[in-house]
Amino acid sequence: LHSSEMFFLITLTKEISMPPSSFGPNLHEQIRQRVYREVQGTVDGRYGFIIMITHVAPIPRGQIQEGGHAVFPVTYSAVVFKPFRGEVLETIVERVEEIGVWARAGPLKIFISKVNVPDEFKFNDDREILEDEQGQTTIEPNRAVRVKIIGVRTDARDIFAVGTIKEDYLGVIGTVAR
């Protein structure tokens, strides 16, 4: 279940300051490259993970600042990934600890506390995995797990989520990828 409601195409503007040494025939290309370099792969607290810039609009004239730099307001379109509470997504387990499971869905890190894991799963200290009472189903690194997001926290550089697999249709969905 890859929900399209977590992905958005949005238009944003970023001011780019360029030094006088960059003024020349390639100025607009340098500005475009800088927008890609500074924006793609970052987190915006309001919009989420900026996955990819799809388009940079024609660059308007810049404004000369004190000291000679010019500031250009650059408008661009980008695909962003913003998870919401209640969304269900497929994740890959990264680490299993006694306190819970760490998983990832693209750039999103998700923690699943042991209280949000079905009761039949017990932590195996020797193998650092969770396994059911029969030992037939395991939750271990590289295993695909369907998770429902129950909380999201955003800081300046990252987005973290808390999830559950303790509901119908959630939990282990595939074999271990090696």
Side-chain angles (χ1 to χ4, degrees):
L1 289 174
H2 294 287
S3 175
S4 60
E5 288 127 23
M6 286 185 268
F7 293 93
F8 301 92
L9 180 63
I10 60 172
T11 301
L12 297 168
T13 300
K14 178 174 179 64
E15 289 193 345
I16 299 291
S17 177
M18 299 297 287
S21 61
S22 66
F23 300 170
N26 294 333
L27 176 62
H28 286 189
E29 184 56 31
Q30 289 178 53
I31 294 169
R32 249 189 295 288
Q33 290 303 317
R34 193 148 152 216
V35 169
Y36 280 97
R37 200 171 48 250
E38 291 181 8
V39 173
Q40 278 189 160
T42 63
V43 170
D44 179 287
R46 184 171 176 194
Y47 299 109
F49 293 102
I50 299 175
I51 303 295
M52 182 178 108
I53 294 175
T54 59
H55 172 74
V56 175
I59 297 165
R61 288 180 173 225
Q63 280 217 282
I64 303 294
Q65 304 294 303
E66 205 172 301
H69 280 69
V71 175
F72 297 85
V74 181
T75 300
Y76 60 93
S77 298
V79 174
V80 297
F81 170 60
K82 182 165 180 138
F84 292 96
R85 197 171 69 187
E87 302 239 36
V88 174
L89 61 156
E90 293 178 4
T91 68
I92 299 296
V93 173
E94 290 193 323
R95 190 168 82 242
V96 178
E97 299 175 353
E98 193 165 356
I99 60 169
V101 178
W102 295 92
R104 182 177 286 278
L108 179 65
K109 296 179 204 107
I110 303 165
F111 178 69
I112 306 154
S113 170
K114 69 178 179 182
V115 300
N116 291 317
V117 173
D119 295 333
E120 65 263 18
F121 283 93
K122 303 296 179 216
F123 184 70
N124 179 323
D125 271 327
D126 297 331
R127 296 178 55 204
E128 294 186 345
I129 63 170
L130 289 173
E131 57 187 349
D132 67 359
E133 293 159 351
Q134 295 80 30
Q136 293 180 344
T137 305
T138 61
I139 298 174
E140 58 188 284
N142 299 314
R143 170 80 24 120
V145 176
R146 186 170 294 125
V147 177
K148 180 178 179 182
I149 296 174
I150 57 176
V152 179
R153 187 189 88 213
T154 303
D155 66 24
R157 297 185 187 212
D158 219 345
I159 300 176
F160 304 93
V162 176
T164 184
I165 59 172
K166 204 173 184 175
E167 293 181 15
D168 290 342
Y169 310 106
L170 301 178
V172 176
I173 56 175
T175 60
V176 177
R178 303 264 179 210

